[in-house]
Amino acid sequence: MNGISHVAIGVRDMERSLRFYRDLLGLEVRSDATQPIGGMPTLYANPETGKRRAVNLRYGKGSDRGFLVLSERPGGTPERDCSRRPFAPIRPTGF
């Protein structure tokens, strides 16, 4: 493995999380969008029923710099939204 493309973190409060990662740590917001979660059955229970807000933040210097994804399912809670699997498989992508 040559590096890490990105790290994704599920958050309960996007605005509070942005104050930390963007305002305090200085990461740059690259995109902020609401997306359907239907294509992520290993990450969410009942993925066909909802949407998530995903914010991509860049860190580092250069064209190959990594990014952080903050993911919030509005109105959701980790207990209801997380997949019931004990873990989600790690799959390298983008290499």
Side-chain angles (χ1 to χ4, degrees):
M1 182 164 71
N2 294 329
I4 296 175
S5 168
H6 70 279
V7 174
I9 301 174
V11 300
R12 290 182 191 203
D13 183 335
M14 185 63 77
E15 295 310 317
R16 183 175 179 203
S17 298
L18 285 171
R19 284 193 300 274
F20 177 75
Y21 289 102
R22 180 193 58 208
D23 301 343
L24 184 64
L25 297 182
L27 277 66
E28 173 189 0
V29 173
R30 299 296 298 196
S31 68
D32 185 343
T34 300
Q35 306 169 333
I37 60 172
M40 296 179 260
T42 59
L43 299 179
Y44 294 97
N46 305 315
E48 66 283 351
T49 63
K51 296 181 183 267
R52 72 175 183 147
R53 179 179 175 194
V55 177
N56 292 354
L57 300 115
R58 289 274 184 193
Y59 55 89
K61 304 270 187 218
S63 61
D64 61 345
R65 61 190 177 154
F67 64 98
L68 173 69
V69 178
L70 300 180
S71 179
E72 173 194 51
R73 185 168 180 183
T77 64
E79 296 79 19
R80 280 195 328 232
D81 293 338
C82 292
S83 172
R84 300 299 181 235
R85 303 170 103 185
F87 63 90
I90 297 173
R91 296 183 186 117
T93 59
F95 295 102

